[in-house]
Amino acid sequence: MMSLQEVSDRLEIQDLLARYSFAIDERDWDALDRVFTPDATIDYSETGGAKGDFAQIKAWLPQALARFPMYQHMVATTRLDLAGDTATSRTILFNPMVYRDEKPGDDRPGDQVFFIGLWYRDRFVRTADGWRIADRYEEMAYSHNVPAMGPPPEIAAAPAAA
């Protein structure tokens, strides 16, 4: 039988996963500050994206997702292992996306719908402000109808130390 604390922790983490999805889908990049720890590491490289710290990924996301006028992040079926003030999980993501192919001089860009399925592998920590994602890794499962498109933008280099 689960304790009230475990039930609360599970619900809070489930809500955290939903907040991530809504922040991305609504392009509310500042909402991610309430999802990740400031020192979080994020690795989207297996699915064709970038790998970096939270600040780098937060700056990269608007550029990387600009070529997709619409997408949805639908999370479900989380396997969650709680251990006091930390937790790990593996969560299914189904992600339909629309790619807009805008070629120079083309006044009628073509849209292509595709989807990917993956797992989020996360490590969570309890903070003074609630649960946050400390590490995220995207593990690819499958894709369908993915268009030929160029690579996403690179992560901007960190400023050189003075």
Side-chain angles (χ1 to χ4, degrees):
M1 181 183 262
M2 283 189 249
S3 69
L4 286 177
Q5 183 64 58
E6 183 176 354
V7 171
S8 176
D9 290 342
R10 288 178 176 279
L11 287 172
E12 288 175 38
I13 290 171
Q14 179 180 337
D15 181 63
L16 181 67
L17 293 169
R19 282 189 285 139
Y20 169 84
S21 295
F22 277 97
I24 297 293
D25 292 347
E26 294 171 352
R27 300 176 198 263
D28 183 358
W29 314 120
D30 289 334
L32 295 173
D33 296 341
R34 296 177 301 282
V35 172
F36 291 97
T37 61
D39 63 345
T41 58
I42 304 166
D43 186 349
Y44 298 140
S45 62
E46 188 173 320
T47 59
K51 177 181 179 180
D53 64 31
F54 173 62
Q56 291 172 313
I57 296 296
K58 183 180 172 186
W60 173 84
L61 280 167
Q63 298 168 9
L65 295 176
R67 59 188 168 168
F68 306 106
M70 183 55 63
Y71 42 78
Q72 292 178 317
H73 289 70
M74 295 180 276
V75 293
T77 319
T78 298
R79 183 182 66 215
L80 181 65
D81 297 311
L82 289 163
D85 291 336
T86 64
T88 58
S89 72
R90 185 175 189 223
T91 302
I92 292 173
L93 170 71
F94 178 70
N95 186 194
M97 303 180 79
V98 175
Y99 173 67
R100 178 154 293 154
D101 188 11
E102 295 183 5
K103 296 181 176 94
D106 185 359
D107 60 350
R108 295 188 58 197
D111 287 352
Q112 182 172 337
V113 177
F114 68 101
F115 59 84
I116 58 174
L118 55 89
W119 290 276
Y120 289 133
R121 291 186 175 270
D122 294 320
R123 183 176 64 85
F124 305 93
V125 295
R126 186 190 321 267
T127 72
D129 296 318
W131 286 95
R132 297 292 186 263
I133 300 171
D135 295 297
R136 166 157 282 184
Y137 179 80
E138 277 188 348
E139 178 186 356
M140 184 62 131
Y142 60 87
S143 62
H144 175 74
N145 202 36
V146 177
M149 57 184 145
E154 296 290 325
I155 286 185

